[in-house]
Amino acid sequence: MNANIEIDVGRRTFAAGLLTDLIVALRRSRPGELLALTGDDAGLGVDIEAWCRFTRNTLIETTIEAGRTRWIIRLGESHDDEDPGRALGSRLWLYTNFDCNLSCDYCCVRSSPRAPRRALGLEQVQRIAREAAELGVAEIFVTGGEPFLLDDIGEILSACALAAPTTVLTNGMLFSGPRLTTLRSLPRDRLTLQISLDSPTPELHDSHRGKGTWARAWRGIQRARSEGFRVRLAATMSSDEEVAEFRRFLDAERVDERDRVIRRVALRGAATQGLAMARADLMPEVTIRSEGVYWHPVGADDADMLVTPDIFPLAESFAAVKRAFARENQHRTGLAAIFNCA
Ligand code: SF4
C-alpha cells in the first residue's frame, strides 16, 4: 500500500526522536492521508497502537517483509470511531465476580483472594445475554477476577455463548476436578478461552503473579487445547524488549496472530506504574458489573469509569454510554477550540 508520507524509523523509539517526527508529519498532513512507518523492531507496534489511540488516528495495516515491520496509519479517526453506536454495539464485557485465586501486582481491578466476591449472578447474566442478543451484540467477554471460581460459571458461559460468540478471560489454573467437568460441558464452537501468560519462561510471569503460576498456566493452556477449545494467549508487558521476546516465543509456538493479545500494563487498580488512561483515552466498550455499567473494562473498579448504576433495560444502559461518549467528544472539541495557541 502506498502512503503519502514515509518515515524510516530504524531502531528509534518514541522516547528517542520518533515522537518529534510524528508531530512534524501530522502538521504536514490532512485527515484521511496515509502515513507509513518502517522499522527494525516489531515491538514498537504496541507503542504505535497506543499513540494512534491517544491521538485518534487509525492503524490500518501492519506487515513484515525482509525482517522489517511496516505500519500504515490513516490520519484521523476510523469510521468506527465516527459511529460510536456501531462500536458500542459490537462488544460487551461482564465482570462476573472480582475475587481471584491470584493477586497479580498489576491487576487493573484489584482482584485477589481477599477481594470480596461481587457476583453479577446467573439470573442477571441470563437477562443481559437475552437483551444483548436483541441489541445485536457481536461478542461477549466474561472476566472475573477469576470466573472459574464461580460454581455456576458453566451456566453463565452457556447463556452468553447462546447470545453471541463468547470469550472467557482466565488464568487457566483451575482446570481440574469439578471445574474440569464444567469446562468439558461448554460449547467449543462458541467459546474462546483467553489465558494469561506474560513470558516465555516462568521468571517474569511468576514475579508478577506468584511462584509456580507460569507452570500451572501453561498446563491449563495445554489442557484447554487438548479439550478442543480455541485458546488465545494474553500477555501484559512493561517494555518493548518483553514484547519482542514474547512475540518470538509465540512465533516459535505457531500461535496465530488472532490468538495473541499483547497489551501494556495500565496504571489502574493495583498497578503502581504503567500507561495512564482516562476515559477520554479509551473508546467505550460497555462493561457491566454488579454495581452498574462502566465505560471500559480497564478501570471497571474505578468510580471515574462508572457511567450508570442502572443495568436494565440494556438498551437504556447502552444509550447512556453513547450519550456519555457524545458528551466526551463535545468537551474535547470545545477544549480544542478554546486552547488554540496561535
Ligand atoms: S490480573 Fe487476572 S489473574 Fe491476576 S489478580 Fe487480576 S483477575 Fe486475577
PDB file of all heavy atoms in Angstrom, residues 100 102-104 106-107 111-112 145-146 171 209, ligand 1:
ATOM      1  N   CYS A 100     -10.363 -13.607  43.202  1.00  0.00           N
ATOM      2  CA  CYS A 100      -9.436 -14.332  42.334  1.00  0.00           C
ATOM      3  C   CYS A 100      -8.536 -15.222  43.189  1.00  0.00           C
ATOM      4  O   CYS A 100      -8.284 -14.920  44.358  1.00  0.00           O
ATOM      5  CB  CYS A 100      -8.591 -13.329  41.540  1.00  0.00           C
ATOM      6  SG  CYS A 100      -7.567 -14.116  40.280  1.00  0.00           S
ATOM      7  N   LEU A 102      -5.467 -15.516  42.480  1.00  0.00           N
ATOM      8  CA  LEU A 102      -4.162 -14.848  42.429  1.00  0.00           C
ATOM      9  C   LEU A 102      -4.295 -13.398  42.897  1.00  0.00           C
ATOM     10  O   LEU A 102      -5.417 -12.873  43.001  1.00  0.00           O
ATOM     11  CB  LEU A 102      -3.611 -14.863  40.997  1.00  0.00           C
ATOM     12  CG  LEU A 102      -3.343 -16.229  40.377  1.00  0.00           C
ATOM     13  CD1 LEU A 102      -2.733 -16.055  38.993  1.00  0.00           C
ATOM     14  CD2 LEU A 102      -2.434 -17.055  41.266  1.00  0.00           C
ATOM     15  N   SER A 103      -3.159 -12.778  43.141  1.00  0.00           N
ATOM     16  CA  SER A 103      -3.189 -11.333  43.428  1.00  0.00           C
ATOM     17  C   SER A 103      -2.032 -10.699  42.663  1.00  0.00           C
ATOM     18  O   SER A 103      -1.009 -10.348  43.254  1.00  0.00           O
ATOM     19  CB  SER A 103      -3.094 -11.056  44.927  1.00  0.00           C
ATOM     20  OG  SER A 103      -2.075 -11.850  45.501  1.00  0.00           O
ATOM     21  N   CYS A 104      -2.198 -10.575  41.354  1.00  0.00           N
ATOM     22  CA  CYS A 104      -1.136 -10.054  40.483  1.00  0.00           C
ATOM     23  C   CYS A 104      -0.869  -8.592  40.840  1.00  0.00           C
ATOM     24  O   CYS A 104      -1.804  -7.837  41.130  1.00  0.00           O
ATOM     25  CB  CYS A 104      -1.567 -10.167  39.027  1.00  0.00           C
ATOM     26  SG  CYS A 104      -2.072 -11.846  38.622  1.00  0.00           S
ATOM     27  N   TYR A 106      -0.184  -6.062  39.133  1.00  0.00           N
ATOM     28  CA  TYR A 106      -0.696  -5.001  38.267  1.00  0.00           C
ATOM     29  C   TYR A 106      -2.177  -5.184  37.936  1.00  0.00           C
ATOM     30  O   TYR A 106      -2.674  -4.614  36.974  1.00  0.00           O
ATOM     31  CB  TYR A 106       0.103  -4.910  36.966  1.00  0.00           C
ATOM     32  CG  TYR A 106       0.308  -6.239  36.265  1.00  0.00           C
ATOM     33  CD1 TYR A 106      -0.763  -7.042  35.949  1.00  0.00           C
ATOM     34  CD2 TYR A 106       1.578  -6.669  35.923  1.00  0.00           C
ATOM     35  CE1 TYR A 106      -0.585  -8.252  35.313  1.00  0.00           C
ATOM     36  CE2 TYR A 106       1.780  -7.862  35.283  1.00  0.00           C
ATOM     37  CZ  TYR A 106       0.687  -8.652  34.987  1.00  0.00           C
ATOM     38  OH  TYR A 106       0.876  -9.852  34.361  1.00  0.00           O
ATOM     39  N   CYS A 107      -2.885  -5.968  38.726  1.00  0.00           N
ATOM     40  CA  CYS A 107      -4.287  -6.245  38.388  1.00  0.00           C
ATOM     41  C   CYS A 107      -5.071  -4.932  38.298  1.00  0.00           C
ATOM     42  O   CYS A 107      -5.131  -4.171  39.266  1.00  0.00           O
ATOM     43  CB  CYS A 107      -4.915  -7.150  39.445  1.00  0.00           C
ATOM     44  SG  CYS A 107      -6.622  -7.560  39.009  1.00  0.00           S
ATOM     45  N   SER A 111      -8.199  -7.380  41.943  1.00  0.00           N
ATOM     46  CA  SER A 111      -8.714  -8.702  42.342  1.00  0.00           C
ATOM     47  C   SER A 111      -7.657  -9.450  43.138  1.00  0.00           C
ATOM     48  O   SER A 111      -6.452  -9.252  42.952  1.00  0.00           O
ATOM     49  CB  SER A 111      -9.084  -9.520  41.108  1.00  0.00           C
ATOM     50  OG  SER A 111     -10.233  -8.985  40.504  1.00  0.00           O
ATOM     51  N   SER A 112      -8.122 -10.318  44.013  1.00  0.00           N
ATOM     52  CA  SER A 112      -7.211 -11.144  44.824  1.00  0.00           C
ATOM     53  C   SER A 112      -8.068 -12.123  45.621  1.00  0.00           C
ATOM     54  O   SER A 112      -9.292 -12.008  45.637  1.00  0.00           O
ATOM     55  CB  SER A 112      -6.398 -10.263  45.778  1.00  0.00           C
ATOM     56  OG  SER A 112      -7.189  -9.907  46.898  1.00  0.00           O
ATOM     57  N   GLY A 145     -12.233 -10.819  38.464  1.00  0.00           N
ATOM     58  CA  GLY A 145     -11.301 -11.846  38.969  1.00  0.00           C
ATOM     59  C   GLY A 145     -11.183 -13.105  38.106  1.00  0.00           C
ATOM     60  O   GLY A 145     -11.039 -13.011  36.892  1.00  0.00           O
ATOM     61  N   GLU A 146     -11.259 -14.224  38.766  1.00  0.00           N
ATOM     62  CA  GLU A 146     -11.151 -15.493  38.069  1.00  0.00           C
ATOM     63  C   GLU A 146     -12.553 -16.104  37.960  1.00  0.00           C
ATOM     64  O   GLU A 146     -13.117 -16.581  38.949  1.00  0.00           O
ATOM     65  CB  GLU A 146     -10.207 -16.433  38.835  1.00  0.00           C
ATOM     66  CG  GLU A 146     -10.165 -17.847  38.298  1.00  0.00           C
ATOM     67  CD  GLU A 146      -9.971 -17.912  36.779  1.00  0.00           C
ATOM     68  OE1 GLU A 146      -9.006 -17.340  36.268  1.00  0.00           O
ATOM     69  OE2 GLU A 146     -10.818 -18.548  36.107  1.00  0.00           O
ATOM     70  N   ASN A 171      -7.038 -17.239  34.308  1.00  0.00           N
ATOM     71  CA  ASN A 171      -5.606 -17.514  34.488  1.00  0.00           C
ATOM     72  C   ASN A 171      -5.280 -18.971  34.192  1.00  0.00           C
ATOM     73  O   ASN A 171      -4.116 -19.376  34.281  1.00  0.00           O
ATOM     74  CB  ASN A 171      -5.115 -17.066  35.873  1.00  0.00           C
ATOM     75  CG  ASN A 171      -5.926 -17.679  37.004  1.00  0.00           C
ATOM     76  OD1 ASN A 171      -6.226 -18.861  36.999  1.00  0.00           O
ATOM     77  ND2 ASN A 171      -6.269 -16.853  37.988  1.00  0.00           N
ATOM     78  N   ARG A 209       2.870 -12.593  39.210  1.00  0.00           N
ATOM     79  CA  ARG A 209       1.646 -13.341  39.534  1.00  0.00           C
ATOM     80  C   ARG A 209       1.813 -14.361  40.659  1.00  0.00           C
ATOM     81  O   ARG A 209       0.836 -14.909  41.145  1.00  0.00           O
ATOM     82  CB  ARG A 209       1.147 -14.056  38.269  1.00  0.00           C
ATOM     83  CG  ARG A 209       0.706 -13.094  37.197  1.00  0.00           C
ATOM     84  CD  ARG A 209       0.342 -13.777  35.901  1.00  0.00           C
ATOM     85  NE  ARG A 209      -0.135 -12.821  34.920  1.00  0.00           N
ATOM     86  CZ  ARG A 209      -1.419 -12.527  34.718  1.00  0.00           C
ATOM     87  NH1 ARG A 209      -2.347 -13.124  35.408  1.00  0.00           N
ATOM     88  NH2 ARG A 209      -1.763 -11.636  33.817  1.00  0.00           N
TER      89      ARG A 209
HETATM   90  S1  SF4 B   1      -4.801  -9.983  36.734  1.00  0.00           S
HETATM   91 FE1  SF4 B   1      -6.292 -11.634  36.443  1.00  0.00          FE
HETATM   92  S2  SF4 B   1      -5.382 -13.399  37.463  1.00  0.00           S
HETATM   93 FE2  SF4 B   1      -4.313 -11.589  38.229  1.00  0.00          FE
HETATM   94  S3  SF4 B   1      -5.407 -10.970  40.099  1.00  0.00           S
HETATM   95 FE3  SF4 B   1      -6.301  -9.799  38.401  1.00  0.00          FE
HETATM   96  S4  SF4 B   1      -8.032 -11.063  37.755  1.00  0.00           S
HETATM   97 FE4  SF4 B   1      -6.705 -12.395  38.985  1.00  0.00          FE
END
